[in-house]
Amino acid sequence: MTALHLNAASGDIAPLVFLLGDPIRAKRMASMLSAARKVSNIRGMPCFTGMLRNGMEVSVQATGMGIPSLLIYANELIDSYCAKTLIRVGTCGTTNERVALGDLFVPTSAVSDSGILPAPAPALVTPSAHELVVKIYSCAKMRTDKTPSRVHKGKVFSTDLFYKWDNKEMQDFDSDVLGIEMESAGLFWLGHMKNVSTAALLTVTDKINVDEHWPPAMRATGVDTMLAIALEVASSV
Ligand code: HPA
């Protein structure tokens, strides 16, 4: 397949790719790699490839927000660039009182209201690489033991609408949904369809029901612990 939204040369994207919604956050993650270079840039959605401390190459792709946008990049990374592992590194909201702003969240399953996952839409979709999820959680746990923030694992709700028509919907979530975002269910579903490893690591930036939020600047720069954990995970896969 010829990629229409990526213009990297063949071989310029590593088998392991981190997917970040925000191009600025993607650039920030790339700056933590050595010898990072921009290998693709269409529509302001860059892809960087660089090296971990152990010499392994990884790539960092910006995907924009929502399942439709993420799936454009994920499909092209898999079909045109032979990506084998896709790890979403992003943010989420919560309505759970046990979860605080700045906490880390590792989805172990996802439910979705997405109108674009093919019928029959998966009621519950899991990350396609269980061992990767375990690794992300244990790496995050080790880091967060040393800092005031905490790490959770559980069910994520991937929604098509950031702004709900009716706030009452927020109370209708499964009580075991810990994180709410807009991408993971699509990524996990694609992982199963295309037989590639998928997982996610999220930072909680919104307490939706009590209207507490990280401000825009903090959303871009306050996620360094998560980025470092994701890179640490990659060096051990
Ligand atoms: N809702 C949906 N997606 C999100 C949120 C949210 O509150 N925070 C980060 N991504």
Side-chain angles (χ1 to χ4, degrees):
M1 180 183 105
T2 306
L4 301 175
H5 304 86
L6 299 173
N7 57 1
S10 138
D12 262 355
I13 298 184
L16 189 154
V17 187
F18 294 106
L19 303 176
L20 291 85
D22 179 358
I24 293 175
R25 232 182 265 150
K27 190 172 175 196
R28 197 170 175 91
M29 189 173 199
S31 75
M32 298 168 151
L33 300 171
S34 35
R37 61 196 196 281
K38 197 185 276 181
V39 296
S40 175
N41 195 20
I42 296 182
R43 290 178 178 243
M45 289 293 158
C47 181
F48 302 91
T49 297
M51 272 186 304
L52 300 173
R53 269 197 296 252
N54 67 4
M56 176 184 164
E57 278 209 323
V58 296
S59 295
V60 179
Q61 173 70 52
T63 65
M65 289 177 277
I67 292 174
S69 186
L70 174 132
L71 287 182
I72 290 173
Y73 297 97
N75 269 294
E76 293 189 9
L77 288 165
I78 296 165
D79 292 344
S80 304
Y81 293 93
C82 303
K84 299 286 179 233
T85 304
L86 298 176
I87 304 177
R88 164 165 157 69
V89 184
T91 58
C92 69
T94 192
T95 55
N96 190 296
E97 60 194 25
R98 289 188 296 113
V99 182
L101 292 179
D103 284 2
L104 293 169
F105 175 51
V106 184
T108 53
S109 64
V111 285
S112 182
D113 63 4
S114 177
I116 68 139
L117 294 180
L124 182 85
V125 53
T126 52
S128 64
H130 177 69
E131 65 292 353
L132 191 56
V133 176
V134 171
K135 210 166 271 184
I136 293 171
Y137 182 72
S138 57
C139 234
K141 196 83 191 149
M142 254 171 7
R143 283 270 186 145
T144 51
D145 279 350
K146 293 180 214 141
T147 68
S149 62
R150 294 173 302 165
V151 59
H152 310 269
K153 61 179 170 178
K155 196 185 286 179
V156 69
F157 182 83
S158 302
T159 180
D160 277 349
L161 283 175
F162 188 94
Y163 297 108
K164 301 290 177 205
W165 307 126
D166 178 353
N167 272 335
K168 279 209 298 292
E169 279 179 68
M170 287 297 165
Q171 276 124 51
D172 294 340
F173 286 128
D174 257 304
S175 57
D176 56 343
V177 165
L178 292 186
I180 298 143
E181 44 81 281
M182 302 182 68
E183 292 85 10
S184 293
L187 177 64
F188 299 164
W189 168 81
L190 190 71
H192 288 292
M193 294 292 290
K194 302 241 175 199
N195 200 24
V196 303
S197 298
T198 58
L201 173 62
L202 308 170
T203 298
V204 179
T205 53
D206 303 279
K207 297 268 300 174
I208 298 167
N209 48 335
V210 292
D211 205 17
E212 285 173 19
H213 309 272
W214 273 9
M218 184 114 169
R219 297 168 99 85
T221 59
V223 294
D224 285 359
T225 304
M226 171 174 70
L227 302 183
I229 290 166
L231 293 174
E232 204 173 309
V233 169
S235 55
S236 68
V237 295

